[in-house]
Amino acid sequence: MTRTLLVAGTASHVGKSTIAAGLCRMLADRGVSVAPFKGQNMSNNARVVVRAEGASDETASRPVETQQGQREQQGQQGQHEQREQQGQQGQQEQREQQPQQGQSGTQAQRDQWGEIGVSQFVQARAARMTPTTDCNPVLLKPRGDGESQLVVQGVAHEHVPAGTYYDDYWEDARAAAERSYRRLASEHEVVIAEGAGSIGEINLHDRDLANVETARFADADILLLVDIERGGAFASLYGTIELLPDSLRERVVGAVITKFRGDPSLLEPGIEEIEAKTGVPILGVVPYDDPGLPEEDSVGLPATDERGVLGDDDGVSPERRLRVAVPRLPRISNATDLEALADEPGVSVAFVPLEERAVEDELADADAVVLPGSKNTVDDLHRLHDVGFGAALERFDGPIVGLCGGYQMLGERITNASLEGTGTVDVVDGFGLLPVETEFEAGKHLEQTAITVDGDGSRLLDGVDGPVSGYEIHAGRTRVTAPVGQPIGDSSAAQGSVLGTYLHGLFDNESVRSAFLSTVAENAGIDRQMRITADDGSGGDSAGTNGSTPYDRAGALVEEHIDLEALGEPFDR
């Protein structure tokens, strides 16, 4: 019988994703067949994976938007049919013969892909299994104004307010999550389920899919994590246990204190008392140690009105340091694209608050600018226009890269903008730095891909020759409006020192990262010896100088600091 352990927390950001990944790697290393699972996730950091076998039949009959763009409840289907009658279908066929970006392969090939939260992708890699949409069957992607895009079994559906989701879709979402769990449980000895937020939210206990419902339909034991860095750890742990439904409280097999700095012996009196009061054993104290796994969401980023810097603590002197400015978009997505840059010695990635003075100052001091992805390109583009980002970008004389939504912003304009944004405006001007135009449509393009780079197509990729890997996950189609370089296939455009691409994971490829930073250094007048490391573009597999991967380091944290024998078979093997 499959054993399921739910890694739950007293709050968000207590280390659930890291501990779950560590358990997956530890079990895989011991020869145990293990799979990660998160019934419902909320994150704009997603990865493209294969849709689970049998999942297509489950979502085909849903009365919501399919990948082909059926939006019956929003009235978009009729609008789309009308456009087809007005010749849009012929126009689409013509564009497929012209430089048209955002769709490739047959419909069957496109339908094999779905999207899941990045943490379950990472945990699947830690478990040494192929990630599928069963690992995260329900994903909510916030886009602003209290709405999130609902993704079920990897397929994007409507943008729905929280109330509408719980009233109209939650039961179906729960059923989809349980089916996914059953499939994973039928194929693996252990399922490591990750909870969401706090398991003690009493206002959500009747509809808490990631915590309460998962524990019930999976008959899961619960490992409860509490973050001591925030203070009040023992009170938080005690209160959470007391607020659990009786049926869940008896499932708690232990608790783990995370993010501890200092001498663990100082906690012993508190541990003894909390164990006596709750009857729940403390199975470990995990030190504050980041193994280097990608961030699950934007919680780890600075607030939109605050400046934050990644990678400035590596000891490289300021005069030899490259500074990459990144606008802190309110609806930023896949910010993990920037982590590979920040991990390079001598490179700082500065998130720029969207205030006019801050934009001017940060871009004046930057050596390069990267516009990241966005869950709502249109509304984020409006915000950038409001703070004068376009004018500052025109004055900037260094390399500029746009990734996914950032690529769309670098173009001349966006049409059908009301399909993406929360407003009613249909045409929004881009920054005009690339001769491309993006048209939004109902539907979404998902694909894992490997593309041969033509380094001659952009000075930012000088010397790159060969395949790079990554994934595409975006709405909208982009077409070129004038001759332009396309160094990363037809999903890109380049002109001068400006490059745009739909390829996420671009900088995870060492050849691209090295070429880009070399160009940035040359442009900045910095003589910089690049550090070359093994990198396969896998977004987290790269080994550090000691030969270990982030997965290995997460597994080591678990093995060294959690009493696995107390969890019983098969954790005690």
Side-chain angles (χ1 to χ4, degrees):
M1 180 178 177
T2 298
R3 174 116 186 248
T4 300
L5 182 68
L6 173 64
V7 181
T10 59
S12 297
H13 216 54
V14 299
K16 294 187 290 290
S17 298
T18 296
I19 298 301
L23 287 167
C24 285
R25 176 45 59 99
M26 179 274 298
L27 288 169
D29 284 348
R30 296 183 180 187
V32 178
S33 175
V34 57
F37 176 77
K38 188 164 186 174
Q40 176 182 302
N41 200 350
M42 177 173 280
S43 174
N44 278 330
N45 285 344
R47 291 292 185 273
V48 175
V49 300
V50 176
R51 294 190 67 202
E53 186 174 351
S56 297
D57 295 337
E58 294 177 12
T59 55
S61 60
R62 300 253 69 81
V64 290
E65 179 194 359
T66 67
Q67 195 169 7
Q68 288 73 41
Q70 297 170 334
R71 292 189 174 181
E72 295 177 355
Q73 294 186 349
Q74 294 181 351
Q76 295 297 333
Q77 183 171 356
Q79 182 182 20
H80 184 62
E81 291 172 352
Q82 181 181 11
R83 286 176 178 166
E84 287 182 346
Q85 295 170 2
Q86 292 174 349
Q88 293 298 324
Q89 186 171 3
Q91 184 180 17
Q92 177 179 335
E93 292 172 354
Q94 181 181 8
R95 286 176 177 171
E96 288 176 352
Q97 299 170 2
Q98 295 175 351
Q100 181 73 37
Q101 303 171 17
Q103 185 140 339
S104 62
T106 66
Q107 187 64 51
Q109 290 172 331
R110 293 193 297 273
D111 285 348
Q112 73 174 311
W113 304 113
E115 56 180 310
I116 65 173
V118 65
S119 287
Q120 283 60 64
F121 176 87
V122 166
Q123 290 158 11
R125 300 295 287 269
R128 295 192 172 93
M129 65 164 283
T130 300
T132 73
T133 52
D134 275 342
C135 296
N136 179 205
V138 180
L139 176 63
L140 296 169
K141 305 186 74 174
R143 73 155 186 169
D145 281 3
E147 292 185 346
S148 295
Q149 184 179 57
L150 173 61
V151 179
V152 180
Q153 274 296 348
V155 178
H157 295 246
E158 274 90 9
H159 293 102
V160 294
T164 301
Y165 167 65
Y166 287 116
D167 291 343
D168 297 344
Y169 299 108
W170 188 83
E171 291 293 342
D172 285 343
R174 184 197 183 282
E178 183 171 357
R179 286 191 293 268
S180 287
Y181 168 78
R182 301 291 176 206
R183 283 192 289 264
L184 290 175
S186 70
E187 298 173 355
H188 299 277
E189 295 177 75
V190 176
V191 174
I192 300 296
E194 181 187 342
S198 170
I199 196 173
E201 300 289 359
I202 55 178
N203 58 310
L204 296 176
H205 276 172
D206 62 335
R207 50 188 175 177
D208 185 348
L209 179 49
N211 295 303
V212 176
E213 295 303 317
T214 292
R216 288 171 174 163
F217 65 60
D219 192 22
D221 293 323
I222 298 173
L223 183 65
L224 188 57
L225 308 189
V226 57
D227 170 10
I228 199 169
E229 184 188 33
R230 303 176 182 217
F234 292 116
S236 180
L237 182 59
Y238 182 83
T240 298
I241 293 171
E242 285 297 305
L243 291 175
L244 289 178
D246 293 340
S247 61
L248 263 65
R249 193 180 301 120
E250 63 190 21
R251 295 181 180 276
V252 180
V253 296
V256 173
I257 297 171
T258 64
K259 302 185 181 180
F260 180 74
R261 305 172 192 259
D263 182 359
S265 66
L266 298 175
L267 297 178
E268 289 177 0
I271 288 175
E272 292 176 4
E273 186 165 349
I274 198 70
E275 288 180 335
K277 286 181 177 294
T278 64
V280 174
I282 303 298
L283 301 185
V285 177
V286 178
Y288 195 105
D289 188 355
D290 180 7
L293 298 172
E295 289 281 354
E296 179 180 30
D297 49 38
S298 61
V299 174
L301 297 179
T304 56
D305 59 349
E306 296 178 357
R307 183 181 189 269
V309 182
L310 302 178
D312 61 344
D313 55 355
D314 54 19
V316 176
S317 60
E319 63 270 14
R320 297 187 64 241
R321 178 169 295 282
L322 299 178
R323 297 171 177 82
V324 180
V326 178
R328 176 53 173 98
L329 304 178
R331 302 157 189 87
I332 190 171
S333 67
N334 292 72
T336 50
D337 282 335
L338 303 161
E339 292 179 0
L341 293 178
D343 287 342
E344 282 285 340
V347 178
S348 297
V349 174
F351 287 93
V352 180
L354 298 189
E355 300 171 353
E356 192 166 348
R357 180 61 182 270
V359 167
E360 287 284 347
D361 292 345
E362 291 288 345
L363 265 63
D365 193 43
D367 301 308
V369 176
V370 176
L371 278 69
S374 169
K375 182 59 192 72
N376 186 333
T377 300
V378 171
D379 286 3
D380 277 349
L381 180 56
H382 280 307
R383 180 66 184 277
L384 290 175
H385 280 312
D386 288 344
V387 298
F389 194 87
L393 206 58
E394 286 183 10
R395 290 190 292 271
F396 183 73
D397 62 356
I400 299 171
V401 175
L403 302 173
C404 198
Y407 171 30
Q408 295 171 341
M409 294 178 188
L410 291 175
E412 296 170 344
R413 68 190 60 83
I414 293 174
T415 62
N416 277 355
S418 59
L419 291 181
E420 168 79 351
T422 57
T424 59
V425 176
D426 275 335
V427 179
V428 178
D429 289 336
F431 296 131
L433 299 183
L434 289 173
V436 300
E437 177 180 300
T438 298
E439 178 184 10
F440 276 101
E441 300 173 334
K444 205 168 190 177
H445 178 75
L446 306 173
E447 183 181 16
Q448 288 184 2
T449 186
I451 301 174
T452 299
V453 174
D454 175 14
D456 294 334
S458 169
R459 67 179 294 262
L460 304 188
L461 303 177
D462 186 36
V464 179
D465 182 19
V468 296
S469 61
Y471 61 98
E472 294 185 23
I473 177 170
H474 62 88
R477 299 192 187 202
T478 299
R479 66 182 182 90
V480 300
T481 59
V484 68
Q486 294 187 298
I488 313 175
D490 62 3
S491 290
S492 68
Q495 187 168 265
S497 295
V498 182
L499 169 67
T501 179
Y502 275 123
L503 189 69
H504 286 290
L506 177 70
F507 295 123
D508 290 336
N509 295 273
E510 191 278 328
S511 59
V512 170
R513 187 172 66 249
S514 177
F516 171 70
L517 292 177
S518 293
T519 302
V520 174
E522 180 182 359
N523 191 75
I526 295 176
D527 183 12
R528 184 172 181 275
Q529 178 66 37
M530 295 298 301
R531 181 192 67 158
I532 306 300
T533 61
D535 195 324
D536 61 1
S538 59
D541 281 340
S542 300
T545 56
N546 62 356
S548 66
T549 69
Y551 309 135
D552 297 327
R553 294 192 288 275
L557 274 178
V558 166
E559 286 202 86
E560 294 172 12
H561 300 287
I562 297 178
D563 182 3
L564 298 172
E565 289 189 5
L567 295 175
E569 176 68 20
F571 296 91
D572 57 356
R573 288 186 189 176

